[in-house]
Amino acid sequence: MKKRILLLAGGQSGEHEVSLSSARSVLNALPRDQFDVTPVAISKQGRWLPPTETRQALESGAAVSGGDLVLHRVASAEGYDAVFPLLHGPMGEDGTIQGLLTLAGIPFVGSGVLGSAVSMDKVMTKQVLASAGIPQVEWRLAVRREWHGDPESVRARAAELGYPLFVKPANLGSSVGISKVRGPEELDAALTLAFGLDRRVILEAMTAHKPRELEVGVLGNDAPIASPVGELRFASEFYDYETKYTEGRAEVHIPAPIPTEVAERVREGALQAFRALDCAGLARVDFFYVEETGELLLNEVNTMPGFTQTSMYPKLFEASGLGYSELVTRLVELALDER
Ligand code: ATP
Ligand code: MG
Ligand code: MG
Ligand code: MG
């Protein structure tokens, strides 16, 4: 019997369009002889589109509109063997959808409520990973109310870290709302941007030297494996939205040209983080490697990484011999497996 899969795409976050392209690739790659896939796109307003309209939306690639209220559709999700919530960012990668599916009793691809929620929030991630002894950059938290009520206290936290520093919404992805702040004169604009997108904002120190950026994939439930390590190279100031999604702006090197010992530390660190955060299914773990000092700092964990044919996560596993179709099939199997 074919497995019935509900593929969720789009969603309410700033990564709506990225999710649509990932979903288009997955829809085409799930083997038809094993799976009966129904795609449902979620609009930026949080409404769920019927499958025929979804297919049209996936083809057009434009943002989705219209659709029903969530609960109508979840009720009709009964009868599916598994859900593939290919959603990035808040209301998708952060435990909310995962909670809904858990309540509905439908197995799904990826981390559960806890792993999704903690990994989505950069502050919670840092706290959990610090307690697991994983090295990271120095950071400070600020909440919107403080920024509005006592901006000097937030500026003082930035001064403690020194410049340049990074300002990020705590719960987002694809570099949306992230700024590199070169000095105090650029700080307020960066905070205003980040607080426009999130109630919680993280300020992060930068390493003394410009770090190299390494990424690694993790696959599995309670016995996860790590992929080969990849490196990203680009000419821009940092790996911002434009660099990520404009053809030709970034080069991907797999395997990363780094000493074997460093690659081993990356893979070990990623597996340790995956376990500490209670992740499941998949995650892409991003690191900073400071060549001058040998320092390796864990940047963040993405529980539903970009998933087009050319995205880093599937390419990393492809390098270890696991093709795209086999990878998505494996992910559905992991969703149906006992952890
Ligand atoms: P993703 O699309 O991977 O989910 P994201 O929006 O969660 O991205 P980060 O990975 O935290 O954002 O940061 C995006 C990029 O900003 C990094 O890849 C890096 O280029 C730069 N960056 C972020 N934080 C730092 C830091 N503390 N020091 C140096 N560079 C940083
Ligand atoms: Mg991220
Ligand atoms: Mg992400
Ligand atoms: Mg990242």
Side-chain angles (χ1 to χ4, degrees), residues 81-209:
D81 295 300
V83 176
F84 199 139
L86 224 177
L87 303 163
H88 309 300
M91 308 291 183
E93 197 177 352
D94 64 349
T96 49
I97 286 278
Q98 290 75 10
L100 194 69
L101 297 172
T102 303
L103 283 173
I106 311 167
F108 54 90
V109 171
S111 294
V113 173
L114 180 65
S116 300
V118 177
S119 302
M120 185 82 263
D121 188 285
K122 293 180 190 298
V123 172
M124 292 305 291
T125 300
K126 286 211 164 34
Q127 285 172 336
V128 171
L129 297 186
S131 67
I134 296 176
Q136 305 170 91
V137 296
E138 255 205 272
W139 59 275
R140 299 285 186 276
L141 164 70
V143 297
R144 193 185 275 145
R145 186 175 263 276
E146 294 174 307
W147 174 235
H148 290 155
D150 183 11
E152 269 322 315
S153 74
V154 178
R155 292 185 191 115
R157 261 165 263 173
E160 284 165 21
L161 295 173
Y163 294 93
L165 57 81
F166 277 80
V167 171
K168 314 178 182 180
N171 291 271
L172 248 169
S174 289
S175 301
V176 174
I178 296 185
S179 308
K180 180 174 178 177
V181 180
R182 281 160 298 195
E185 67 291 348
E186 293 178 359
L187 182 65
D188 286 17
L191 287 166
T192 302
L193 174 69
F195 277 120
L197 298 164
D198 203 333
R199 212 186 95 247
R200 285 153 68 76
V201 163
I202 186 167
L203 297 99
E204 288 186 15
M206 215 190 143
T207 48
H209 307 269

Side-chain angles (χ1 to χ4, degrees), residues 52-69:
T52 33
E53 288 175 42
T54 293
R55 285 181 197 275
Q56 285 161 9
L58 287 180
E59 267 157 42
S60 86
V64 169
S65 59
D68 282 346
L69 286 174

